Amino acid sequence: MSKHHQFSQNKKCEYFPCHKSNNLDDFNCMFCFCPLYMLKDDCGGNFKYTNGFKDCSQCMLPHTRDAYNHVMTKMELVLAIASQGN
């Protein structure tokens, strides 16, 4: 089965790559803005808190070739948080 929908790359983007990477061929731009930011400590990524804000500048998790699978495993949590207050 094809998995082309799980990887996207835009080398013409003025921000490419937005994070340092040793392998630009596998740099995934699909989740340019990480949908897991709202999960705080449960996102699974490499982040730190700086002055009370989540700093993901060193996190490569959403930019890996396998990012799609990880993000999809967390979407139930994202949807639960997003639906609160409705």
Side-chain angles (χ1 to χ4, degrees):
M1 180 176 161
S2 172
K3 295 185 179 183
H4 296 289
H5 66 281
Q6 297 180 5
F7 183 84
S8 176
Q9 191 175 77
N10 183 4
K11 288 186 177 180
K12 291 183 180 181
C13 176
E14 58 271 23
Y15 301 106
F16 183 85
C18 59
H19 295 274
K20 289 183 182 179
S21 174
N22 293 330
N23 189 353
L24 291 182
D25 290 335
D26 285 337
F27 195 93
N28 194 351
C29 301
M30 177 171 279
F31 300 111
C32 180
F33 292 94
C34 185
L36 305 181
Y37 182 87
M38 68 187 330
L39 296 181
K40 300 178 183 171
D41 297 345
D42 293 328
C43 69
N46 178 29
F47 67 90
K48 61 184 177 181
Y49 284 102
T50 304
N51 297 324
F53 291 94
K54 191 174 176 182
D55 175 1
C56 306
S57 61
Q58 301 301 311
C59 183
M60 284 296 295
L61 183 67
H63 302 296
T64 63
R65 190 165 283 277
D66 296 325
Y68 181 87
N69 293 328
H70 177 77
V71 169
M72 289 302 113
T73 65
K74 299 286 188 170
M75 286 311 291
E76 223 175 284
L77 290 171
V78 170
L79 294 172
I81 291 169
S83 67
Q84 292 175 1
N86 287 333

